[in-house]
Amino acid sequence: YYRSLYKDKLAIHIRRGDFLSSSSKHHNVFSDKEIVSLAKTYKDREIVIFSDDIDWCIKTFHGMSWVSFHKGSSALDDFLALSQFSSYVLLGSSFSWWSAFLFSDSNTEMIVSPSKEVKYNSMTELNKLSSNVRYKFFRRVGG
């Protein structure tokens, strides 16, 4: 079901919860301004937002007609739905990275912000993976 619904759309998973209160450099938190800017960058595509704070996302992205929201029944439902996309913007959460990577194929596109702190988002680590995933990189702005 999710494959037919989501395969041609772009997934963005926004983890808030413990990321907001954490001071760990490994949590690579993106500001509200950065996340909104990213969504605007991809306004030529249909975006589906996943989050542990979907109500905040609905308020934040209000009025963006190209953005919709996945309201899963559980974290497992979110993980399985995320796995059915072929394009992802990954914001530093290993939850979305694993969902994208485990179910990837040669058509999978992962758009990431390279990070020395978040190892799985570093160019060095990504180059070690033997996969056919297509990586694109964006620079953080406005944070």
Side-chain angles (χ1 to χ4, degrees):
Y1 168 75
Y2 286 137
R3 175 65 72 171
S4 63
L5 186 63
Y6 289 149
K7 75 174 185 148
D8 296 322
K9 297 179 181 180
L10 178 68
I12 300 178
H13 177 260
I14 301 168
R15 181 170 170 184
R16 291 182 42 84
D18 61 329
F19 269 35
L20 294 178
S21 59
S22 174
S23 60
S24 171
K25 65 182 180 179
H26 300 290
H27 281 165
N28 202 26
V29 177
F30 282 73
S31 72
D32 301 1
K33 185 177 178 180
E34 287 178 294
I35 295 169
V36 169
S37 177
L38 272 169
K40 288 179 179 176
T41 298
Y42 293 101
K43 67 181 179 184
D44 60 326
R45 303 182 63 181
E46 290 184 63
I47 296 172
V48 180
I49 302 286
F50 291 75
S51 182
D52 59 347
D53 190 354
I54 206 71
D55 291 335
W56 175 88
C57 293
I58 290 169
K59 284 189 271 186
T60 301
F61 296 97
H62 177 75
M64 295 184 185
S65 60
W66 64 97
V67 176
S68 61
F69 307 91
H70 180 81
K71 296 178 185 174
S73 59
S74 66
L76 180 57
D77 181 70
D78 284 355
F79 189 83
L80 293 173
L82 268 170
S83 75
Q84 300 306 298
F85 285 77
S86 58
S87 295
Y88 304 84
V89 173
L90 302 177
L91 301 178
S93 167
S94 59
F95 181 87
S96 56
W97 189 91
W98 276 109
S99 182
F101 185 77
L102 287 174
F103 297 95
S104 64
D105 61 24
S106 61
N107 296 314
T108 303
E109 170 188 53
M110 291 188 201
I111 304 164
V112 299
S113 178
S115 172
K116 292 177 188 165
E117 287 81 26
V118 182
K119 292 282 188 200
Y120 56 85
N121 274 2
S122 74
M123 255 332 277
T124 303
E125 295 301 315
L126 290 172
N127 284 333
K128 290 179 184 176
L129 298 173
S130 58
S131 72
N132 294 322
V133 172
R134 293 174 290 127
Y135 293 101
K136 287 185 178 180
F137 298 93
F138 66 90
R139 297 234 182 268
R140 294 184 72 167
V141 294

